[in-house]
Coordinates of all heavy atoms in Angstrom, one line a residue:
N253 N -21.0 2.2 -23.3 CA -20.0 2.5 -24.4 C -19.9 1.3 -25.3 O -19.5 0.2 -24.9 CB -18.7 3.0 -23.8 CG -18.7 4.3 -23.2 OD1 -18.4 4.5 -22.1 ND2 -19.0 5.4 -24.1
N255 N -18.3 -0.6 -28.9 CA -17.0 -0.6 -29.6 C -16.9 0.1 -30.9 O -15.8 0.3 -31.4 CB -16.6 -2.1 -29.8 CG -16.5 -2.9 -28.5 OD1 -16.2 -2.3 -27.4 ND2 -16.7 -4.2 -28.5
A304 N -20.6 -3.5 -17.5 CA -19.1 -3.5 -17.4 C -18.6 -4.1 -18.7 O -19.2 -4.9 -19.4 CB -18.7 -4.3 -16.2
N305 N -17.4 -3.6 -19.0 CA -16.7 -4.1 -20.3 C -15.7 -5.2 -20.0 O -14.7 -4.9 -19.3 CB -16.1 -2.9 -21.0 CG -15.7 -3.3 -22.4 OD1 -15.0 -4.2 -22.7 ND2 -16.1 -2.5 -23.4
L306 N -16.0 -6.4 -20.4 CA -15.1 -7.5 -20.1 C -14.3 -7.8 -21.4 O -14.7 -8.4 -22.3 CB -15.9 -8.8 -19.8 CG -15.1 -10.0 -19.5 CD1 -14.1 -9.9 -18.4 CD2 -16.1 -11.2 -19.2
L307 N -13.0 -7.3 -21.3 CA -12.1 -7.5 -22.4 C -12.7 -7.2 -23.8 O -12.8 -8.0 -24.7 CB -11.5 -8.9 -22.4 CG -10.8 -9.3 -21.1 CD1 -10.2 -10.7 -21.2 CD2 -9.6 -8.3 -20.8
N308 N -13.2 -6.0 -23.9 CA -13.8 -5.5 -25.2 C -15.2 -6.1 -25.5 O -15.6 -6.1 -26.6 CB -12.9 -5.7 -26.3 CG -13.0 -4.6 -27.4 OD1 -13.2 -3.4 -27.0 ND2 -12.8 -4.9 -28.6
D309 N -15.8 -6.7 -24.5 CA -17.2 -7.2 -24.6 C -18.1 -6.4 -23.6 O -18.1 -6.7 -22.4 CB -17.2 -8.7 -24.3 CG -18.5 -9.3 -24.6 OD1 -19.3 -8.7 -25.3 OD2 -18.8 -10.4 -24.0
P310 N -18.8 -5.4 -24.1 CA -19.7 -4.6 -23.3 C -20.9 -5.5 -22.8 O -21.7 -5.9 -23.6 CB -20.2 -3.5 -24.2 CG -19.2 -3.5 -25.3 CD -18.8 -4.9 -25.5
L311 N -20.9 -5.7 -21.5 CA -21.9 -6.6 -20.9 C -23.0 -5.7 -20.2 O -22.7 -4.7 -19.6 CB -21.3 -7.5 -19.9 CG -20.3 -8.5 -20.4 CD1 -19.7 -9.4 -19.3 CD2 -20.8 -9.4 -21.6
V321 N -23.2 -6.6 -26.0 CA -23.7 -5.8 -27.1 C -22.5 -5.7 -28.1 O -21.5 -5.0 -27.8 CB -24.2 -4.4 -26.6 CG1 -24.7 -3.6 -27.8 CG2 -25.3 -4.6 -25.6
T322 N -22.6 -6.4 -29.2 CA -21.5 -6.5 -30.1 C -21.7 -5.7 -31.4 O -22.9 -5.6 -31.8 CB -21.3 -8.0 -30.5 OG1 -21.2 -8.8 -29.3 CG2 -20.0 -8.1 -31.3
R334 N -24.8 -14.2 -22.9 CA -23.5 -14.6 -22.4 C -23.7 -15.4 -21.1 O -22.7 -15.9 -20.6 CB -22.6 -13.4 -22.0 CG -22.3 -12.5 -23.2 CD -21.3 -13.1 -24.1 NE -20.8 -12.2 -25.1 CZ -20.8 -12.3 -26.4 NH1 -21.4 -13.4 -26.9 NH2 -20.3 -11.4 -27.2
I354 N -18.9 -5.5 -11.9 CA -17.6 -4.8 -12.1 C -16.7 -5.9 -12.8 O -17.0 -7.1 -12.7 CB -16.9 -4.3 -10.8 CG1 -15.8 -3.3 -11.1 CG2 -16.4 -5.5 -10.0 CD1 -15.3 -2.7 -9.9
V355 N -15.7 -5.4 -13.6 CA -14.7 -6.3 -14.2 C -13.4 -6.1 -13.4 O -13.0 -5.0 -13.1 CB -14.5 -5.9 -15.7 CG1 -13.2 -6.6 -16.2 CG2 -15.7 -6.4 -16.5
N356 N -12.8 -7.2 -13.1 CA -11.5 -7.3 -12.5 C -10.7 -8.3 -13.2 O -11.1 -9.5 -13.2 CB -11.6 -7.6 -11.0 CG -10.3 -7.7 -10.3 OD1 -9.6 -8.7 -10.3 ND2 -9.8 -6.6 -9.8
G357 N -9.6 -7.9 -13.8 CA -8.8 -8.8 -14.6 C -9.6 -9.3 -15.8 O -10.1 -8.6 -16.6
N358 N -9.7 -10.6 -15.8 CA -10.4 -11.2 -17.0 C -11.8 -11.8 -16.6 O -12.3 -12.7 -17.2 CB -9.6 -12.3 -17.6 CG -9.0 -13.3 -16.6 OD1 -9.6 -13.5 -15.5 ND2 -7.9 -14.0 -16.9
K359 N -12.3 -11.3 -15.5 CA -13.6 -11.8 -15.0 C -14.6 -10.7 -14.8 O -14.2 -9.5 -14.4 CB -13.5 -12.6 -13.7 CG -12.6 -13.8 -13.8 CD -12.5 -14.5 -12.5 CE -11.6 -15.8 -12.6 NZ -10.2 -15.4 -12.9
Y360 N -15.9 -11.0 -15.0 CA -17.0 -10.1 -14.7 C -17.7 -10.6 -13.5 O -18.1 -11.8 -13.4 CB -18.0 -10.1 -15.9 CG -19.3 -9.5 -15.8 CD1 -19.5 -8.1 -15.9 CD2 -20.4 -10.3 -15.5 CE1 -20.8 -7.6 -15.8 CE2 -21.7 -9.7 -15.4 CZ -21.9 -8.4 -15.5 OH -23.1 -7.8 -15.4
A371 N -18.3 -14.4 -14.4 CA -18.1 -14.9 -15.8 C -16.6 -14.9 -16.0 O -15.9 -13.8 -15.8 CB -18.8 -14.0 -16.8
D372 N -16.0 -16.0 -16.5 CA -14.6 -16.1 -16.7 C -14.3 -16.0 -18.3 O -14.7 -17.0 -19.0 CB -14.1 -17.4 -16.2 CG -12.5 -17.5 -16.1 OD1 -11.9 -16.8 -16.9 OD2 -12.0 -18.2 -15.2
S373 N -13.7 -15.0 -18.7 CA -13.5 -14.8 -20.2 C -12.5 -15.8 -20.7 O -12.4 -15.9 -22.0 CB -13.1 -13.4 -20.4 OG -11.8 -13.1 -19.9
R374 N -11.7 -16.4 -19.9 CA -10.7 -17.4 -20.4 C -11.3 -18.6 -21.0 O -10.7 -19.3 -21.8 CB -9.7 -17.7 -19.3 CG -8.9 -16.6 -18.7 CD -8.2 -17.0 -17.5 NE -9.0 -17.5 -16.4 CZ -8.6 -18.1 -15.3 NH1 -7.3 -18.2 -15.1 NH2 -9.5 -18.5 -14.4
Y375 N -12.5 -18.9 -20.6 CA -13.2 -20.1 -21.0 C -14.5 -19.8 -21.7 O -15.4 -19.3 -21.1 CB -13.4 -21.1 -19.8 CG -12.2 -21.3 -19.0 CD1 -12.0 -20.7 -17.8 CD2 -11.2 -22.2 -19.5 CE1 -10.8 -20.9 -17.1 CE2 -10.0 -22.4 -18.8 CZ -9.8 -21.8 -17.6 OH -8.7 -22.0 -16.9
Q376 N -14.5 -20.1 -23.0 CA -15.7 -19.8 -23.9 C -16.1 -21.0 -24.6 O -15.3 -21.8 -25.0 CB -15.4 -18.6 -24.8 CG -14.9 -17.3 -24.2 CD -14.5 -16.2 -25.2 OE1 -14.7 -16.4 -26.4 NE2 -14.0 -15.1 -24.7
Y389 N -21.1 -16.5 -28.1 CA -20.4 -17.5 -27.4 C -20.8 -17.4 -25.9 O -21.4 -16.4 -25.5 CB -18.9 -17.4 -27.5 CG -18.4 -16.0 -27.3 CD1 -18.1 -15.5 -26.0 CD2 -18.2 -15.1 -28.3 CE1 -17.6 -14.3 -25.7 CE2 -17.7 -13.8 -28.1 CZ -17.4 -13.4 -26.8 OH -17.0 -12.1 -26.5
Y391 N -19.6 -17.6 -21.7 CA -18.5 -17.7 -20.8 C -18.8 -18.9 -19.8 O -19.9 -19.2 -19.6 CB -18.4 -16.4 -20.0 CG -18.0 -15.2 -20.8 CD1 -18.9 -14.1 -20.9 CD2 -16.8 -15.1 -21.5 CE1 -18.6 -13.0 -21.6 CE2 -16.5 -14.0 -22.2 CZ -17.3 -13.0 -22.3 OH -17.0 -11.9 -23.0

Side-chain angles (χ1 to χ4, degrees):
N253 285 118
N255 297 335
N305 193 305
L306 178 58
L307 300 182
N308 215 31
D309 188 18
L311 299 180
V321 183
T322 308
R334 299 290 191 235
I354 198 172
V355 166
N356 178 271
N358 50 25
K359 298 180 180 67
Y360 168 85
D372 193 334
S373 66
R374 297 173 301 174
Y375 306 105
Q376 301 176 7
Y389 52 84
Y391 296 119

